């Protein structure tokens, strides 16, 4: 419950910090409504639409309403997918408003002891510290390989977890050993005549739980003609912090990353996770009020490029790519499409694979319901959104679902498990599929 004193502090900070001109940009036209998953899945509740949330923010600033639990609930229910932004005729930067509002509320609202402890462990203790991320992932790998996982499932211990967490445990990737996690490169040469020098943003989860996908990314870059620099002083991108009301910590992580990459001499900074890439491109906004860091953030942001974009630029789709006959479809990463504006490149790469028939999914760009930790903290709405997504997947008759973000990948694996389709459907990151196609095309005939 938000106390009277907390409401006063929140309202004062809304008036002091919210971008009122941006709030006024919303014309209440409703163009955003058909693009908003929570508006649709809530039964067309205006409080769960972009224009409804903006109206609530403005009403708090104007003093027309108090920042009560209903306001907080509306903002918490938002996926932050930013699908409303490309369709907005006024160009409202909704994502920036949402992050600012959440930050004000969470920094001025006393959380329960358990919630505060969990947030401190995740946002301060775990994600900013790559060595701890690797240790945690190494422990997960031990759990998977030691027989503990099989024992936990066989004895029924998993039944004590909520259903969504039980299923999530089943879809976690097989992770590398702690020794493998610590043996990471900092520089790789091009394997063909060099075309570009790039720096690789390896991320926190991507370079631990999804290390194999990072390795595939670097191989593709080498095959495409890139020399690669991987700064070892880089940190978590800060997206989870920025989206969850921990903006100051996001700024600290941004500064660490800018400093890590600005001496790399790279043409581009490459990402392979849509959510990370989008937040990295927003560093210029995040640090716009800091005279020292604003120009450095702007120089950093313009170099961010998704792996599919650089592969398209370097004409990777002109190389021999082949797979066994199958139907493939693509699930957009919300932030890759809506923030980084990368939409056509992944599709062009997938359509260039011989043997694979590409079928576009209906509403491929509608959020899958993952949204960082949304599928854990807002499980019911997340599963509603996922159920709709899986209906569209099945209509394509695809054997392979391709994604460009780790959260989307796990969410779609969760959907496959929920629908009982694990025996005839898979989900893969686009770089893993492209590497598979590159290497398959080079197999000796008859092998």
């Amino acid at each position: 419950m938000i106390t009277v004193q907390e409401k006063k502090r929140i309202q004062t900070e809304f008036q002091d910090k919210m971008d009122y001109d941006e709030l006024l940009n919303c014309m209440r036209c409703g163009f955003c409504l058909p693009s908003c998953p929570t508006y649709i899945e809530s039964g067309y509740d205006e409080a769960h639409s972009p224009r409804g949330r903006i109206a609530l923010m403005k009403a708090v600033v104007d003093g027309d309403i108090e920042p009560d639990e209903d306001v907080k609930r509306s903002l918490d229910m938002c996926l932050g997918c930013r699908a409303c932004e490309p369709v907005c005729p006024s160009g409202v930067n909704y994502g920036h408003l949402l992050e600012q509002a959440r930050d004000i509320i969470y920094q001025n609202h006393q959380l329960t002891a358990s919630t505060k402890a969990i947030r401190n462990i995740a946002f301060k203790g775990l994600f900013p510290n790559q060595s701890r991320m690797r240790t945690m992932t190494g422990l997960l790998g031990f759990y998977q390989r030691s027989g503990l996982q099989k024992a936990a499932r066989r004895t029924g211990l998993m039944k004590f977890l909520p259903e969504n967490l039980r299923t999530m445990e089943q879809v976690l990737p097989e992770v590398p050993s702690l020794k493998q996690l610590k043996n990471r490169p900092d520089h790789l040469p091009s394997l063909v005549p060099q075309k570009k020098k790039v720096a690789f943003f390896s991320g926190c989860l991507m370079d631990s739980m999804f290390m194999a996908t990072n390795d595939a990314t670097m191989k593709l870059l080498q095959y495409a003609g890139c020399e690669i620099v991987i700064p070892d002083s880089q940190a978590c991108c800060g997206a989870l912090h920025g989206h969850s009301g921990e903006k100051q910590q996001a700024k600290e992580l941004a500064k660490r990353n800018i400093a890590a990459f600005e001496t790399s001499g790279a043409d581009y900074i490459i990402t392979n996770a849509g959510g990370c890439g989008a937040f990295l491109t927003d560093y210029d906004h995040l640090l716009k009020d800091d005279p020292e860091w604003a120009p450095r953030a702007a120089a950093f942001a313009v170099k961010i490029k998704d792996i599919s974009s650089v592969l398209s630029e370097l004409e990777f789709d002109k190389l021999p790519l082949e797979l066994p006959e199958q139907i493939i479809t693509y699930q957009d990463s919300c932030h890759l499409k809506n923030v980084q504006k990368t939409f056509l490149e992944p599709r062009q790469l997938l359509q260039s694979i011989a043997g694979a028939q590409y079928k576009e999914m209906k509403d491929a760009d509608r959020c899958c319901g993952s949204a960082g930790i949304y599928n854990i903290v807002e499980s019911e709405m997340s599963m509603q959104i996922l159920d709709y997504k899986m209906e569209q997947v099945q209509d394509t008759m695809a054997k392979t679902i391709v994604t460009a973000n780790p959260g989307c990948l796990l969410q779609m694996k969760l959907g496959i498990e929920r629908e009982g389709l694990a025996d005839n459907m898979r989900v893969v990151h686009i770089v893993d599929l492209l590497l598979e196609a590159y290497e398959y095309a080079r197999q000796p005939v008859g092998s």
Side-chain angles (χ1 to χ4, degrees):
M1 182 68 68
I2 301 177
T3 66
V4 172
Q5 290 303 315
E6 288 172 345
K7 289 177 182 178
K8 289 181 179 179
R9 289 199 301 270
I10 292 170
Q11 190 150 36
T12 298
E13 290 211 15
F14 261 64
Q15 292 167 344
D16 292 342
K17 295 182 178 180
M18 291 298 296
D19 187 337
Y20 198 70
D21 288 338
E22 198 68 65
L23 290 171
L24 289 176
N25 277 345
C26 178
M27 301 184 300
R28 315 290 191 265
C29 66
F31 278 31
C32 60
L33 300 182
S35 69
C36 179
T38 54
Y39 173 71
I40 295 167
E41 294 297 334
S42 66
Y44 308 106
D45 185 343
E46 277 283 352
H48 297 311
S49 73
R51 74 173 180 185
R53 293 181 176 110
I54 290 174
L56 289 175
M57 295 179 209
K58 182 176 180 297
V60 171
V61 174
D62 291 340
D64 295 333
I65 63 171
E66 291 185 329
D68 58 15
E69 287 291 339
D70 289 337
V71 173
K72 180 178 179 296
R73 182 66 185 141
S74 173
L75 299 179
D76 284 344
M77 186 66 78
C78 181
L79 292 150
C81 68
R82 297 173 72 166
C84 50
E85 293 185 12
V87 298
C88 177
S90 299
V92 175
N93 290 305
Y94 172 82
H96 296 163
L97 292 172
L98 178 68
E99 287 177 7
Q100 186 63 70
R102 281 177 171 171
D103 184 60
I104 292 170
I105 290 173
Y106 276 93
Q107 295 308 312
N108 289 281
H109 175 45
Q110 184 65 43
L111 303 172
T112 64
S114 59
T115 300
K116 187 175 182 179
I118 291 170
R119 288 174 69 92
N120 282 339
I121 290 170
F123 295 133
K124 295 181 180 178
L126 187 58
F127 285 103
N129 191 311
Q130 190 64 4
S131 65
R132 290 175 187 165
M133 287 291 296
R134 288 171 180 161
T135 299
M136 181 201 72
T137 305
L139 291 173
L140 175 60
F142 176 78
Y143 165 75
Q144 291 175 332
R145 289 186 292 271
S146 65
L148 287 173
Q149 186 179 53
K150 291 180 180 178
R153 293 174 179 178
R154 186 175 61 250
T155 59
L157 286 175
M158 303 306 298
K159 293 180 181 178
F160 291 99
L161 292 176
E163 181 182 356
N164 66 314
L165 291 183
R166 289 201 304 271
T167 311
M168 188 64 74
E169 187 268 349
Q170 293 177 354
V171 303
L172 289 175
E174 291 186 14
V175 300
S177 67
L178 189 56
K179 182 179 180 181
Q180 291 171 307
L181 288 164
K182 290 181 177 179
N183 186 25
R184 304 302 289 147
D186 57 17
H187 178 267
L188 292 168
S190 174
L191 295 177
V192 298
Q194 184 174 325
K195 300 177 182 178
K196 295 286 182 182
K197 180 180 181 181
V198 301
F200 179 48
F201 183 82
S202 53
C204 48
L205 274 178
M206 289 304 299
D207 212 46
S208 50
M209 190 175 294
F210 296 92
M211 192 183 83
T213 298
N214 266 7
D215 289 342
T217 303
M218 290 184 281
K219 282 184 181 179
L220 289 180
L221 288 169
Q222 288 178 289
Y223 290 142
C226 294
E227 175 191 358
I228 313 168
V229 178
I230 310 102
D232 60 7
S233 56
Q234 62 180 293
C236 168
C237 69
L240 285 177
H241 301 77
H243 301 330
S244 303
E246 300 288 345
K247 201 167 184 179
Q248 186 55 45
Q249 290 183 64
K251 290 180 179 180
E252 293 168 6
L253 290 167
K255 292 174 183 179
R256 283 174 59 184
N257 283 320
I258 293 167
F261 281 89
E262 61 188 354
T263 60
S264 67
D267 300 307
Y268 304 126
I269 299 169
I270 306 301
T271 67
N272 62 4
C276 296
F279 200 73
L280 294 170
T281 63
D282 259 354
Y283 275 6
D284 55 344
H285 174 78
L286 184 68
L287 297 171
K288 64 183 175 63
D289 296 323
D290 189 315
E292 177 188 352
W293 287 93
R296 296 167 71 179
F300 174 92
V302 296
K303 286 193 172 186
I304 300 299
K305 205 174 189 72
D306 182 70
I307 178 66
S308 62
S309 292
V310 75
L311 290 178
S312 292
E313 180 180 325
L314 298 177
E315 298 186 323
F316 190 80
D317 54 341
K318 300 294 194 298
L319 298 176
L321 301 171
E322 186 178 356
L323 286 173
E325 186 175 332
Q326 60 190 283
I327 298 173
I328 61 177
T329 193
Y330 179 68
Q331 163 61 25
D332 283 286
S333 158
C334 296
H335 289 117
L336 182 60
K337 177 182 181 292
N338 300 326
V339 182
Q340 291 183 265
K341 314 302 182 189
T342 302
F343 175 80
L344 293 177
E345 295 93 328
R347 289 167 168 81
Q348 290 168 348
L349 289 164
L350 294 174
Q351 289 166 1
S352 70
I353 301 174
Q357 177 189 354
Y358 178 80
K359 291 190 71 172
E360 182 74 9
M361 184 199 316
K362 180 185 177 185
D363 292 333
D365 58 350
R366 183 185 293 186
C367 185
C368 64
S370 171
I373 58 173
Y374 188 93
N375 56 0
I376 297 173
V377 298
E378 298 290 349
S379 176
E380 183 178 351
M381 177 59 76
S382 175
M383 292 305 102
Q384 280 184 237
I385 293 167
L386 178 58
D387 288 344
Y388 174 81
K389 181 63 65 176
M390 291 309 299
E391 290 176 13
Q392 313 318 312
V393 169
Q394 292 180 72
D395 284 347
T396 68
M397 305 293 288
K399 175 185 176 182
T400 301
I401 309 168
V402 185
T403 72
N405 190 62
C408 303
L409 189 145
L410 289 180
Q411 182 80 341
M412 299 309 292
K413 287 183 73 172
L414 187 62
I416 288 173
E417 288 290 333
R418 281 165 56 88
E419 297 293 328
L421 300 171
D423 291 337
N424 55 18
M425 187 181 289
R426 64 172 180 159
V427 55
V428 296
H429 193 288
I430 188 170
V431 299
D432 293 311
L433 190 73
L434 289 173
L435 182 61
E436 182 183 333
Y438 181 88
E439 294 178 343
Y440 185 86
R442 280 154 186 76
Q443 288 182 348
V445 176
S447 65

